[in-house]
PDB file of all heavy atoms in Angstrom:
ATOM      1  N   ALA A 164     -40.114 113.572  38.599  1.00 41.00           N
ATOM      2  CA  ALA A 164     -40.032 112.274  39.251  1.00 41.00           C
ATOM      3  C   ALA A 164     -40.605 111.165  38.382  1.00 41.00           C
ATOM      4  O   ALA A 164     -41.617 110.547  38.688  1.00 41.00           O
ATOM      5  CB  ALA A 164     -40.768 112.311  40.598  1.00 41.00           C
ATOM      6  N   LEU A 165     -39.963 110.929  37.270  1.00 40.00           N
ATOM      7  CA  LEU A 165     -40.356 109.858  36.369  1.00 40.00           C
ATOM      8  C   LEU A 165     -39.257 108.820  36.318  1.00 40.00           C
ATOM      9  O   LEU A 165     -38.113 109.081  36.663  1.00 40.00           O
ATOM     10  CB  LEU A 165     -40.577 110.411  34.954  1.00 40.00           C
ATOM     11  CG  LEU A 165     -41.663 111.475  34.804  1.00 40.00           C
ATOM     12  CD1 LEU A 165     -41.629 112.010  33.387  1.00 40.00           C
ATOM     13  CD2 LEU A 165     -43.019 110.882  35.114  1.00 40.00           C
ATOM     14  N   ALA A 166     -39.579 107.605  35.879  1.00 37.00           N
ATOM     15  CA  ALA A 166     -38.541 106.601  35.655  1.00 37.00           C
ATOM     16  C   ALA A 166     -37.629 107.091  34.553  1.00 37.00           C
ATOM     17  O   ALA A 166     -38.007 107.917  33.728  1.00 37.00           O
ATOM     18  CB  ALA A 166     -39.166 105.262  35.251  1.00 37.00           C
ATOM     19  N   THR A 167     -36.392 106.584  34.536  1.00 38.00           N
ATOM     20  CA  THR A 167     -35.454 107.014  33.508  1.00 38.00           C
ATOM     21  C   THR A 167     -35.956 106.605  32.137  1.00 38.00           C
ATOM     22  O   THR A 167     -36.752 105.697  31.981  1.00 38.00           O
ATOM     23  CB  THR A 167     -34.082 106.387  33.760  1.00 38.00           C
ATOM     24  OG1 THR A 167     -34.228 104.980  33.876  1.00 38.00           O
ATOM     25  CG2 THR A 167     -33.479 106.911  35.041  1.00 38.00           C
ATOM     26  N   GLN A 168     -35.438 107.271  31.124  1.00 37.00           N
ATOM     27  CA  GLN A 168     -35.962 107.097  29.781  1.00 37.00           C
ATOM     28  C   GLN A 168     -35.829 105.674  29.260  1.00 37.00           C
ATOM     29  O   GLN A 168     -36.632 105.220  28.467  1.00 37.00           O
ATOM     30  CB  GLN A 168     -35.230 108.063  28.833  1.00 37.00           C
ATOM     31  CG  GLN A 168     -35.548 109.528  29.116  1.00 37.00           C
ATOM     32  CD  GLN A 168     -37.016 109.839  28.884  1.00 37.00           C
ATOM     33  OE1 GLN A 168     -37.608 109.400  27.911  1.00 37.00           O
ATOM     34  NE2 GLN A 168     -37.612 110.592  29.804  1.00 37.00           N
ATOM     35  N   ASP A 169     -34.776 104.955  29.700  1.00 39.00           N
ATOM     36  CA  ASP A 169     -34.611 103.595  29.189  1.00 39.00           C
ATOM     37  C   ASP A 169     -35.431 102.577  29.955  1.00 39.00           C
ATOM     38  O   ASP A 169     -35.342 101.389  29.729  1.00 39.00           O
ATOM     39  CB  ASP A 169     -33.134 103.181  29.206  1.00 39.00           C
ATOM     40  CG  ASP A 169     -32.532 103.200  30.606  1.00 39.00           C
ATOM     41  OD1 ASP A 169     -33.275 103.494  31.570  1.00 39.00           O
ATOM     42  OD2 ASP A 169     -31.329 102.914  30.731  1.00 39.00           O
ATOM     43  N   GLY A 170     -36.224 103.040  30.930  1.00 44.00           N
ATOM     44  CA  GLY A 170     -37.088 102.146  31.678  1.00 44.00           C
ATOM     45  C   GLY A 170     -36.427 101.478  32.858  1.00 44.00           C
ATOM     46  O   GLY A 170     -37.027 100.636  33.492  1.00 44.00           O
ATOM     47  N   SER A 171     -35.166 101.829  33.179  1.00 46.00           N
ATOM     48  CA  SER A 171     -34.490 101.185  34.296  1.00 46.00           C
ATOM     49  C   SER A 171     -35.084 101.668  35.613  1.00 46.00           C
ATOM     50  O   SER A 171     -35.612 102.777  35.711  1.00 46.00           O
ATOM     51  CB  SER A 171     -32.994 101.466  34.261  1.00 46.00           C
ATOM     52  OG  SER A 171     -32.752 102.844  34.350  1.00 46.00           O
ATOM     53  N   ILE A 172     -34.970 100.822  36.618  1.00 51.00           N
ATOM     54  CA  ILE A 172     -35.566 101.107  37.914  1.00 51.00           C
ATOM     55  C   ILE A 172     -34.552 101.805  38.799  1.00 51.00           C
ATOM     56  O   ILE A 172     -33.388 101.451  38.832  1.00 51.00           O
ATOM     57  CB  ILE A 172     -36.028  99.795  38.578  1.00 51.00           C
ATOM     58  CG1 ILE A 172     -37.197  99.215  37.781  1.00 51.00           C
ATOM     59  CG2 ILE A 172     -36.427 100.026  40.020  1.00 51.00           C
ATOM     60  CD1 ILE A 172     -37.604  97.867  38.258  1.00 51.00           C
ATOM     61  N   VAL A 173     -35.008 102.813  39.546  1.00 57.00           N
ATOM     62  CA  VAL A 173     -34.167 103.498  40.508  1.00 57.00           C
ATOM     63  C   VAL A 173     -34.782 103.284  41.883  1.00 57.00           C
ATOM     64  O   VAL A 173     -35.939 103.598  42.113  1.00 57.00           O
ATOM     65  CB  VAL A 173     -34.072 105.000  40.186  1.00 57.00           C
ATOM     66  CG1 VAL A 173     -33.246 105.713  41.245  1.00 57.00           C
ATOM     67  CG2 VAL A 173     -33.462 105.213  38.815  1.00 57.00           C
ATOM     68  N   GLY A 174     -33.992 102.759  42.803  1.00 62.00           N
ATOM     69  CA  GLY A 174     -34.489 102.486  44.136  1.00 62.00           C
ATOM     70  C   GLY A 174     -33.967 101.159  44.635  1.00 62.00           C
ATOM     71  O   GLY A 174     -33.083 100.555  44.038  1.00 62.00           O
ATOM     72  N   THR A 175     -34.515 100.714  45.757  1.00 74.00           N
ATOM     73  CA  THR A 175     -34.118  99.446  46.361  1.00 74.00           C
ATOM     74  C   THR A 175     -35.313  98.510  46.321  1.00 74.00           C
ATOM     75  O   THR A 175     -36.354  98.826  46.912  1.00 74.00           O
ATOM     76  CB  THR A 175     -33.654  99.673  47.807  1.00 74.00           C
ATOM     77  OG1 THR A 175     -32.570 100.611  47.801  1.00 74.00           O
ATOM     78  CG2 THR A 175     -33.185  98.368  48.429  1.00 74.00           C
ATOM     79  N   PRO A 176     -35.211  97.366  45.636  1.00 76.00           N
ATOM     80  CA  PRO A 176     -36.387  96.530  45.386  1.00 76.00           C
ATOM     81  C   PRO A 176     -37.228  96.202  46.609  1.00 76.00           C
ATOM     82  O   PRO A 176     -38.450  96.244  46.547  1.00 76.00           O
ATOM     83  CB  PRO A 176     -35.773  95.270  44.772  1.00 76.00           C
ATOM     84  CG  PRO A 176     -34.560  95.751  44.072  1.00 76.00           C
ATOM     85  CD  PRO A 176     -34.010  96.845  44.947  1.00 76.00           C
ATOM     86  N   GLY A 177     -36.609  95.876  47.747  1.00 82.00           N
ATOM     87  CA  GLY A 177     -37.390  95.473  48.914  1.00 82.00           C
ATOM     88  C   GLY A 177     -38.250  96.566  49.494  1.00 82.00           C
ATOM     89  O   GLY A 177     -39.171  96.287  50.269  1.00 82.00           O
ATOM     90  N   PHE A 178     -37.992  97.843  49.127  1.00 89.00           N
ATOM     91  CA  PHE A 178     -38.699  98.955  49.751  1.00 89.00           C
ATOM     92  C   PHE A 178     -39.277  99.936  48.736  1.00 89.00           C
ATOM     93  O   PHE A 178     -39.717 101.020  49.113  1.00 89.00           O
ATOM     94  CB  PHE A 178     -37.758  99.682  50.723  1.00 89.00           C
ATOM     95  CG  PHE A 178     -37.322  98.815  51.864  1.00 89.00           C
ATOM     96  CD1 PHE A 178     -36.158  98.065  51.774  1.00 89.00           C
ATOM     97  CD2 PHE A 178     -38.090  98.698  53.006  1.00 89.00           C
ATOM     98  CE1 PHE A 178     -35.759  97.235  52.812  1.00 89.00           C
ATOM     99  CE2 PHE A 178     -37.703  97.874  54.046  1.00 89.00           C
ATOM    100  CZ  PHE A 178     -36.539  97.133  53.954  1.00 89.00           C
ATOM    101  N   MET A 179     -39.290  99.576  47.463  1.00 89.00           N
ATOM    102  CA  MET A 179     -39.854 100.487  46.477  1.00 89.00           C
ATOM    103  C   MET A 179     -41.351 100.254  46.302  1.00 89.00           C
ATOM    104  O   MET A 179     -41.910  99.257  46.770  1.00 89.00           O
ATOM    105  CB  MET A 179     -39.122 100.373  45.142  1.00 89.00           C
ATOM    106  CG  MET A 179     -39.236  99.028  44.467  1.00 89.00           C
ATOM    107  SD  MET A 179     -38.499  99.021  42.806  1.00 89.00           S
ATOM    108  CE  MET A 179     -36.879  99.672  43.077  1.00 89.00           C
ATOM    109  N   SER A 180     -42.012 101.180  45.644  1.00 92.00           N
ATOM    110  CA  SER A 180     -43.453 101.125  45.444  1.00 92.00           C
ATOM    111  C   SER A 180     -43.799 100.339  44.183  1.00 92.00           C
ATOM    112  O   SER A 180     -42.937 100.121  43.324  1.00 92.00           O
ATOM    113  CB  SER A 180     -44.006 102.546  45.324  1.00 92.00           C
ATOM    114  OG  SER A 180     -43.499 103.161  44.137  1.00 92.00           O
ATOM    115  N   PRO A 181     -45.060  99.916  44.037  1.00 91.00           N
ATOM    116  CA  PRO A 181     -45.455  99.217  42.805  1.00 91.00           C
ATOM    117  C   PRO A 181     -45.229 100.050  41.555  1.00 91.00           C
ATOM    118  O   PRO A 181     -44.811  99.523  40.516  1.00 91.00           O
ATOM    119  CB  PRO A 181     -46.944  98.933  43.022  1.00 91.00           C
ATOM    120  CG  PRO A 181     -47.107  98.882  44.504  1.00 91.00           C
ATOM    121  CD  PRO A 181     -46.147  99.896  45.039  1.00 91.00           C
ATOM    122  N   GLU A 182     -45.460 101.371  41.651  1.00 91.00           N
ATOM    123  CA  GLU A 182     -45.267 102.192  40.451  1.00 91.00           C
ATOM    124  C   GLU A 182     -43.788 102.272  40.069  1.00 91.00           C
ATOM    125  O   GLU A 182     -43.445 102.373  38.886  1.00 91.00           O
ATOM    126  CB  GLU A 182     -45.871 103.587  40.625  1.00 91.00           C
ATOM    127  CG  GLU A 182     -45.442 104.341  41.863  1.00 91.00           C
ATOM    128  CD  GLU A 182     -46.364 104.124  43.044  1.00 91.00           C
ATOM    129  OE1 GLU A 182     -46.918 103.008  43.199  1.00 91.00           O
ATOM    130  OE2 GLU A 182     -46.527 105.059  43.842  1.00 91.00           O
ATOM    131  N   GLN A 183     -42.889 102.221  41.063  1.00 87.00           N
ATOM    132  CA  GLN A 183     -41.463 102.139  40.733  1.00 87.00           C
ATOM    133  C   GLN A 183     -41.157 100.822  40.034  1.00 87.00           C
ATOM    134  O   GLN A 183     -40.390 100.771  39.073  1.00 87.00           O
ATOM    135  CB  GLN A 183     -40.612 102.263  42.001  1.00 87.00           C
ATOM    136  CG  GLN A 183     -40.463 103.677  42.527  1.00 87.00           C
ATOM    137  CD  GLN A 183     -39.659 103.721  43.805  1.00 87.00           C
ATOM    138  OE1 GLN A 183     -40.114 103.278  44.852  1.00 87.00           O
ATOM    139  NE2 GLN A 183     -38.459 104.266  43.732  1.00 87.00           N
ATOM    140  N   ALA A 184     -41.727  99.738  40.530  1.00 83.00           N
ATOM    141  CA  ALA A 184     -41.497  98.425  39.927  1.00 83.00           C
ATOM    142  C   ALA A 184     -42.012  98.367  38.493  1.00 83.00           C
ATOM    143  O   ALA A 184     -41.391  97.741  37.622  1.00 83.00           O
ATOM    144  CB  ALA A 184     -42.167  97.338  40.769  1.00 83.00           C
ATOM    145  N   TYR A 185     -43.143  99.016  38.239  1.00 82.00           N
ATOM    146  CA  TYR A 185     -43.705  99.036  36.890  1.00 82.00           C
ATOM    147  C   TYR A 185     -42.960 100.003  35.960  1.00 82.00           C
ATOM    148  O   TYR A 185     -43.101  99.934  34.736  1.00 82.00           O
ATOM    149  CB  TYR A 185     -45.171  99.468  36.940  1.00 82.00           C
ATOM    150  CG  TYR A 185     -46.143  98.384  37.339  1.00 82.00           C
ATOM    151  CD1 TYR A 185     -46.974  98.549  38.443  1.00 82.00           C
ATOM    152  CD2 TYR A 185     -46.249  97.207  36.600  1.00 82.00           C
ATOM    153  CE1 TYR A 185     -47.884  97.563  38.815  1.00 82.00           C
ATOM    154  CE2 TYR A 185     -47.153  96.220  36.965  1.00 82.00           C
ATOM    155  CZ  TYR A 185     -47.965  96.402  38.071  1.00 82.00           C
ATOM    156  OH  TYR A 185     -48.858  95.427  38.418  1.00 82.00           O
TER     157      TYR A 185
END
Side-chain angles (χ1 to χ4, degrees):
L165 299 174
T167 54
Q168 293 296 317
D169 60 2
S171 61
I172 292 173
V173 177
T175 302
F178 296 92
M179 64 174 52
S180 66
E182 52 268 34
Q183 282 178 290
Y185 280 122

